[in-house]
Amino acid sequence: MLDIASVVRVHVDALIVAMNHLVVRDAIARNAPVRKPVAMSAPHMPKVAGIDSAVPAPAHTVQPLDASPGAPVVMLQDRLAGWVSDLTTLHELTERLVRTDSVDTALNEVVRAGAALVGSSRGLVVLEPAHRTEENARGATAALGLSHAELGQLETVPRDASSYGRLLDDGAEPATAAESVRDVLGDPGLDPLHRDVAVRLGYRATYAVSLAAGTSGRIGVAVWLYDEPAEPVERQRHLVGLYSRYAAEHLARLRELEAARAREASIAGELLPSRLPRVPGVRLAVRHRASGHGGGGWYDALPLPEGALGLAVGSVSGSGPSAVAAMGRLRASLRAYAVMEGEDPVAVLSDLELLLRLTEPARTATALFGFAEPALGRIVFAGAGHAPPLIVGERRTEYVETTLSAPLGMLTCWEAPSVELSPAPGETVLLYTDGLLRRTGEPMDRAFARLHAAAASVPGSLRDDPGAIADHVLRLMGASEDSGRGEGADAGSATDTEDVVILAVRFE
């Protein structure tokens, strides 16, 4: 994992050989007979052409037996122990870095680890956009010991006037891996704006390291600030150089992974409804929290003849592009079956079961389909291995007892009785995916109890707005995000492993 230079390895091996030689020689000296002549204890050299082995070695090359080699051994042991300690520290820091799973957390780890290696208490890491030509391309920044206002002041310094800015310039040579400024204010050619910022922030020295990956080239730079004129010693520069090379590769991989997840989330969002229909007698709202791993959670609201409305939520097993594609096919098929026989939710799910078993026998899915007639205040539900709906009102908050059944794709022939529900005016029915329960990290019985408590605690001032009810439940269930507060789906890039869907239906 660690990129240790070959020179370091050769020196360590040489030290070990030297130590062994000195220790063995010391042991021979300690165990030698008392008052034994040196000439008698010296080994007989073999006869070699041109060399007379009987001639004794020069006197100045023979070390007295009572000379102690302890001091060189201790020195070598101390140096070797120092190298082992440095490499152990480097290994621990890279292990902590590899456990990060997002660019933001990795940047925070890099700036903290680098500060520990170079002996600084403040610093920042700047990650350049992957594609500068794209519109709205943005990089990322992580800071240590610097507030947002102080970061804003640093951004006012021209790039060519700061050490880390010069490393970020396109014209900088790739070989320029680091730049140290021992005394910022002592530089007579310092940019006046840079001098003012340095005085206001109270730093006197900087040390910047370029972050360059083998496949992506230079992706950013890390810089650490010192309160007094100083610079890292050679050992610190070597360690932070090794760490920065590994950090750059890790950040490049995470950035590519997040870009792929964003593309998958965008595709999944395109496969879901862009807007909810407007049907007299009901108000609809949806909240979709994408997992960022290409989950198969989905929802649908389909206007049907005679003012009816088809409501559906479900999830497909697996993750990644294949799960997203399967989700799109399943949702499109359910819409077709709902148009043909939506008044019978059991028949809709039975047809969906047959299709899934014939076309994708290795995949399972859960689904909940409801045929709503707002004019009559009635919904007929059928579920296949899905969590039951939750009805929220002023006088009651309770689960709708749907019939227990296996998920789609697990039985030779699926069929389960439907359940009819008659919500009162002002009540809201919540349809949700299992991801809402699993994101809590609790056992399912406790997750259901937590969801019930969250729905029951909706303030009276929010009960008229189905979107506000969904937001309140998401926040208390730990799946809330700042984005996605519109009527349509939110294809945000969450780092959680479960898709979350809440479809709120309020009866007027």
Side-chain angles (χ1 to χ4, degrees), residues 263-388:
R263 289 191 294 269
E264 291 179 3
S266 177
I267 294 174
E270 293 296 328
L271 295 175
L272 295 174
S274 58
R275 56 183 300 177
L276 297 177
R278 298 184 179 274
V279 178
V282 294
R283 292 176 60 190
L284 303 174
V286 67
R287 297 294 182 262
H288 178 212
R289 301 293 181 254
S291 66
H293 296 274
W298 56 276
Y299 67 93
D300 206 350
L302 178 64
L304 297 175
E306 300 179 1
L309 180 67
L311 303 169
V313 293
S315 61
V316 176
S317 62
S319 61
S322 62
V324 173
M327 176 267 290
R329 292 190 294 267
L330 197 68
R331 173 180 168 268
S333 301
L334 185 139
R335 290 174 69 92
Y337 297 143
V339 170
M340 292 186 295
E341 46 192 5
E343 67 280 357
D344 186 359
V346 173
V348 172
L349 293 187
S350 297
D351 294 341
L352 200 62
E353 153 73 22
L354 179 60
L355 176 69
L356 186 67
R357 182 157 42 87
L358 293 177
T359 59
E360 299 186 63
R363 192 179 298 278
T364 61
T366 66
L368 178 68
F369 179 75
F371 179 76
E373 297 176 289
L376 302 178
R378 183 172 72 101
I379 306 180
V380 181
F381 281 112
H386 204 81

Side-chain angles (χ1 to χ4, degrees), residues 67-129:
S68 175
V73 172
V74 171
M75 181 186 67
L76 292 174
Q77 287 176 337
D78 289 344
R79 294 181 63 183
L80 182 61
W83 282 341
V84 172
S85 177
D86 289 342
L87 295 179
T88 301
T89 301
L90 193 61
H91 175 73
E92 292 175 354
L93 293 177
T94 52
E95 284 293 320
R96 289 176 53 181
L97 179 62
V98 78
R99 286 194 291 268
T100 59
D101 58 358
S102 68
V103 171
D104 291 336
T105 55
L107 288 175
N108 284 298
E109 180 61 32
V110 169
V111 69
R112 283 172 171 79
L117 290 174
V118 301
S120 173
S121 60
R122 292 188 293 172
L124 70 151
V125 178
V126 180
L127 193 65
E128 290 285 81

